[in-house]
Amino acid sequence: MDRIIEKKRWNNKRVMTIAGIVAVVALVTGSIVFTSGKSKLNVDAERITISEVKKGSFQEIIPLNGIVLPITTIYLDAVEGGRVEKLFVEDGATMKKGQPILKLANTDLELNLANEETAVFNVLTQMQISHDNARQNTISKLNQMAEVESNLKEADRVYKLNKRLYDQKAIGLQEFQKSENDYSYAVRRKRLTTQILNQDSTAMNQQTQQSKESYAHMKATLELMRKKVGDLIVRAPVDGQLTSLDAEIGQSKQKGGRLGQIDVLSGFKVRVDVDEHYITRVFNGQMGEFTLGDKTYKLKIKKVFTQVSNGRFQVDMQFAGALPKDIRRGQSLQIRLALSDETQAVLVPKGGFYQQTGGSWIFKLSEDGKTAYRMDIQLGRQNPDYYEVMQGLKPGDRVVTSSYENYGDMQELVIK
């Protein structure tokens, strides 16, 4: 008789299938759980900087480097070219206006001066000779005029006498006519001699005037040549300190070449380099300050040089108020330049976090201070101490402002 065999409900195959399904579900569930959570990193509280966001007075300030320079610098250029023949002082010497610094030798210029002096002397000699000749000619003409006037006077006397005698029938017509002709001739000769004398006088005056003008022109040229030769001795144009002297005995200098400079020591200014990013926001009259020792000093922009070189432009600043006693030429100063007036703003202290985030996010602490999570923010202006918070944070929030260099893509910090 056949026996009914009962079929088993949980055979090995079925158990393995169910176990596999459970494993897959567990794996998927675990993956979802682990991947949906935030990446965390444990950090030591002593190795980070926690700062508090606050509201307060804010002024946009940029830090700048400045160099102290004399308030006025006069550059020394070679007015005439030549070879350095003599140095009267050394670089760094304190100069008085007109004091000689160096002498240049230029034989061509000196020879031209000698030729010009000779030419002027020759013209002067010729003028004297011409003047003597003109005077002798005038004397001769005056003597001739005196003789003509004497002859006219005698002819007039004879003519008048013969006229009376002729009227009295004492002399004949021929003798009377001869005296009349002599008188007429004397009158014409007097008129002609007077005209010649006047013409000679006018010509002589014109010649004299031309000679004087020519002589004056040559003298002016001579004085100019003497000045050019005199410029071979380079002198201090103002009182000050001689710096950057570039001249050695025997060295040739071209006309217009730079020889050095005179620094006027009556005051100082500060030459500052500024990033071209601020070129539209920097103008005359803006104030800055720097600290030297334990005192703070004010500076004001006096001149803006708008030419940009290597991404930077320069400004000159003058001291506003007291001048530091120990200030020296070439000294470096750390200057804080104000770009805006003081306003109220939400502020976060500056720190290393900005290098990794660019100011677009920050780690903000939870209320219990045990964790810090990533928060998107927007920062605006800045000064050496603070960033201006535009959105994302409020006064009283605490944030991590130290460097995020080792945090990678972490979303949350667990503070131990």
Side-chain angles (χ1 to χ4, degrees), residues 76 134 183 191 280 314 354:
L76 301 175
Y183 173 71
R191 187 182 302 116
T280 59
Q314 293 183 321
Y354 193 88

Side-chain angles (χ1 to χ4, degrees), residues 120-217:
V120 171
F121 178 76
N122 291 337
V123 168
L124 180 60
T125 301
Q126 189 61 41
M127 283 180 59
Q128 291 175 343
I129 294 174
S130 298
H131 179 71
D132 291 341
N133 291 337
R135 186 170 59 179
Q136 292 295 327
N137 183 60
T138 300
I139 292 173
S140 176
K141 290 292 190 297
L142 290 175
N143 288 332
Q144 185 178 358
M145 186 65 176
E147 182 181 354
V148 168
E149 288 178 342
S150 177
N151 292 337
L152 176 60
K153 186 176 182 180
E154 179 62 21
D156 181 58
R157 184 188 67 79
V158 172
Y159 168 70
K160 291 178 179 179
L161 176 62
N162 286 347
K163 189 175 186 304
R164 288 196 303 270
L165 294 176
Y166 177 74
D167 291 341
Q168 297 172 1
K169 307 295 184 179
I171 60 174
L173 178 60
Q174 184 176 359
E175 187 176 355
F176 169 70
Q177 287 180 339
K178 181 179 182 305
S179 62
E180 185 179 24
N181 291 337
D182 290 342
Y183 173 71
S184 298
Y185 170 74
V187 170
R188 291 195 302 271
R189 189 178 180 189
K190 167 70 180 305
R191 187 182 302 116
L192 180 60
T193 303
T194 301
Q195 183 179 359
I196 292 174
L197 185 62
N198 290 337
Q199 291 176 348
D200 286 349
S201 178
T202 301
M204 185 182 69
N205 290 336
Q206 291 178 346
Q207 183 179 2
T208 300
Q209 183 63 29
Q210 291 174 354
S211 297
K212 288 182 178 179
E213 292 176 356
S214 177
Y215 178 67
H217 177 71

